[in-house]
């Protein structure tokens, strides 16, 4: 019964979304407050209906109801409870339901927190959200129904894909979808503003919190996915420029540009047209990512679906929304007023430079991702565009951007003094230079580019700290006053500094592991030993082990340094009972910020075992940096100046205005 209730709730949600997509727009055209007021109520109703459907599917997984085809294909009665729950979104149908749930959740948030929004803008934005909701509800109900029944019901399920039975995959998709779908709010506000013809600083103030929230979630989601692939797939890499990885990275790059552009628009009413265009582009890239993952055009561990019918349906959604949005933009762009003027050397100028490099980098990743697909579709020829292309094109674009980052927050609005800012950054530059020299001195034979790359990471860290120190008055006031000023800084200042500092930490990790990691592939027998970095590993042999729904062969390695054993690393080759699918469970020993990474291969005819061992110095900085960046986004969201909507007039001012009338 719960399954039928969930299916019925989805049908009702579609009906409500259709009402929400039409009547509020008519109300905004006619200035009918009653019709516009339908939008918030419909948004909240849609959320609860989709939530009911999601709960129904979750209950089916938890109770192992194999009469539901989706549960039978992706679950097993012996599977641990956490993976029964995460299995809800570990497949195409369930993940699409989660996608829609997050979409209507954001709509409900706008309805709840958008009390200060102009009625027409709020109604139109929620109507645009409803257009997206209705399109994807049609898609789910017609091609991807998660509540399809089986008769007779199988006794046991086929189990979830083994590589998805991991805590990282329980967290990664929800975070990623919060980012992907969160940008839909920015898109809806952009389309609503184009419909209404009103784009000003207040619009940017309403858009920026949603952009920041989506960017924060997407940052955490990408980082979680990167770490999952690193430890679960047994390949020892943290990023491979996989097309589906790129599909999530492109909205992040465009969203970063949008975040900075919206700041310029809010503070100076500049870059209006560009900010609206970025809002459209960012969500369009999110839709493109959804298409790539679910169309069957890609073969990837990340891809969900291979049904071309679904791909055509999503392609239709893509064409309608992206084509429609750009057509509306083209019609309205000429009528939009240009923003304020500013000098090239100013904070606005620095943020424009930021946007220039970020959008160019996004275009580079887009071309590298889509070109092989387009070429194969047109000519039938297959080519591979891999890490060498992206490293040679994307990397050089990031270098000048990273060098410029510390200057931006220190420059004044409208017109800045580059010489004065450079003087404030003398200490940061000095520390960075000393770091480069130290890397060359202590890491014998270190590549010069590696030393410069690590110095660049230190430059970003010191630059972010310099910004806080300067704002607090360091060197100009006594310590007590400086401390009071520091405590009184807006939270957005701390958030910006943390985001830039985290970027610097990640840069250090990326450069260090790229330049100094070592890899060894060898065959080992029990009692054999090998050396990786400063450590010696002794192979203690293989032993069988049994889990709740798998069997595995574990390899144990004693780790020692200077002849003294201090740790043991366990790696495994695992077979899941239901699917008979093997997986590799890497053994990872974290030593400070570095890691020793051990992966088992196949057994050899002479009784040995193929073993791959990596020594990865400073590798954890990659993910520590992204965590710091996400924390920076959260801190900025709590800035009291960052509100959803224009500030409401105080009662005293309102009363004074009435008396004046």
């Amino acid at each position: 019964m719960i399954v039928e209730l969930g299916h019925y709730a989805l049908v009702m949600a579609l009906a409500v979304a259709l009402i929400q997509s039409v009547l509020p727009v008519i109300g905004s055209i006619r200035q009918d407050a009653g019709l516009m007021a339908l939008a918030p109520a419909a948004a909240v109703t849609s959320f609860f209906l989709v939530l009911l459907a999601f709960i129904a599917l979750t209950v089916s997984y938890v109770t192992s109801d194999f009469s539901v085809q989706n549960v039978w294909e992706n679950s097993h009665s012996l599977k641990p409870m956490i993976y029964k729950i995460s299995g809800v979104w570990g497949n195409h149908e369930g993940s699409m339901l989660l996608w829609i749930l997050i979409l209507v959740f954001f709509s409900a948030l706008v309805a709840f927190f958008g009390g200060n929004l102009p009625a027409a803008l709020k109604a139109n934005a929620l109507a645009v959200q409803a257009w997206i909701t209705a399109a994807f509800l049609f898609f789910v109900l017609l091609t991807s129904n998660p509540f399809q029944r089986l008769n007779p019901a199988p006794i046991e399920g086929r189990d979830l894909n083994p590589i998805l039975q991991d805590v990282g995959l329980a967290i990664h998709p929800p975070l990623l979808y919060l980012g992907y779908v969160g940008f839909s709010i920015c898109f809806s506000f952009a389309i609503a503003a184009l419909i209404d013809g009103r784009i000003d600083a207040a619009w940017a103030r309403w858009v920026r919190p949603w952009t920041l929230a989506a960017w924060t979630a997407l940052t955490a989601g990408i980082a979680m996915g990167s770490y999952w692939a690193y430890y679960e797939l047994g390949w020892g890499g943290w990023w491979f420029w996989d097309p589906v990885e790129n599909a999530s990275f492109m909205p992040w790059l465009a969203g970063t540009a949008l975040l900075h552009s919206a700041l310029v628009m809010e503070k100076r009413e500049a870059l209006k047209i560009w900010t609206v265009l970025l809002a459209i582009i960012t969500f369009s890239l999110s839709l493109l990512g959804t298409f790539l993952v679910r169309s069957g055009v890609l073969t990837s561990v990340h891809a969900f679906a291979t049904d071309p019918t679904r791909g055509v349906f999503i392609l239709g959604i893509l064409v309608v929304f992206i084509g429609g949005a750009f057509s509306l933009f083209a019609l309205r762009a000429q009528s939009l007023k240009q923003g304020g003027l500013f000098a090239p050397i100013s904070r606005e100028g620095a943020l424009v430079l930021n946007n220039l490099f970020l959008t160019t980098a996004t275009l580079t990743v887009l071309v590298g991702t889509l070109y092989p697909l387009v070429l194969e579709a047109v000519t039938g020829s297959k080519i591979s565009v891999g890490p060498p292309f992206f490293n040679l094109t994307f990397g050089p674009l990031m270098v000048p951007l990273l060098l410029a980052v510390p200057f931006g927050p220190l420059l004044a609005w409208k017109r800045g003094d580059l010489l004065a800012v450079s003087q404030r950054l003398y200490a940061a530059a000095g520390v960075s230079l000393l770091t480069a020299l130290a890397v060359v001195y202590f890491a014998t034979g270190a590549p010069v580019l590696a030393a410069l790359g690590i110095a660049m990471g230190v430059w970003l860290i010191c630059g972010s700290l310099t910004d806080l120190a300067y704002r607090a008055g360091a060197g100009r006031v006594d310590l007590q006053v400086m401390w009071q000023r520091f405590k009184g800084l807006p939270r957005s200042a701390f958030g910006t500094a943390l985001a830039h500092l985290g970027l610097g930490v990640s840069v250090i990790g990326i450069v260090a592991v790229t330049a100094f990691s070592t890899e060894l592939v060898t065959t080992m027998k029990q009692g054999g030993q090998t050396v990786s970095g400063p450590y010696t590993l002794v192979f203690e042999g293989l032993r069988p082990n049994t889990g709740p729904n798998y069997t595995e062969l574990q390899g144990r390695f004693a780790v020692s340094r200077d002849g003294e054993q201090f740790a043991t690393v366990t790696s495994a080759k695992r077979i899941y009972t239901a699917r008979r699918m093997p997986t590799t469970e890497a053994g990872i020993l974290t030593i400070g910020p570095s890691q020793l990474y051990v992966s088992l291969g196949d057994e050899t005819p002479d009784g040995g075992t193929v073993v791959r061992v990596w020594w990865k110095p400073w590798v954890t900085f990659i993910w520590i940096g992204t965590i710091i960046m996400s924390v920076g986004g959260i801190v900025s969201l709590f800035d009291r100046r960052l509100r959803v909507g224009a500030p409401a007039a105080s009662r005293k001012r309102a009363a004074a205005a009435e008396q004046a009338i």
Side-chain angles (χ1 to χ4, degrees), residues 471-473 476-477 480-489:
R471 285 170 176 256
R476 305 191 307 275
V477 297
Q480 185 175 0
V481 175
M482 186 183 74
W483 176 244
Q484 293 301 321
R485 286 189 180 182
F486 182 80
K487 291 194 299 182
L489 289 176

Side-chain angles (χ1 to χ4, degrees), residues 132-163:
I132 304 169
T133 303
F136 280 97
L137 281 171
F138 268 123
F139 171 70
V140 167
L141 290 170
L142 295 178
T143 72
S144 311
N145 184 3
F147 299 107
Q148 191 73 39
R149 287 282 199 179
L150 291 174
N151 187 20
I155 297 174
E156 189 53 85
R158 298 173 60 186
D159 204 4
L160 180 66
N161 187 334
I163 65 173

Side-chain angles (χ1 to χ4, degrees), residues 150-182:
L150 291 174
N151 187 20
I155 297 174
E156 189 53 85
R158 298 173 60 186
D159 204 4
L160 180 66
N161 187 334
I163 65 173
L164 302 182
Q165 295 188 41
D166 183 83
V167 174
L169 260 291
I171 302 171
H172 165 59
L175 284 175
L176 203 65
Y177 291 172
L178 282 170
Y180 266 167
V181 183

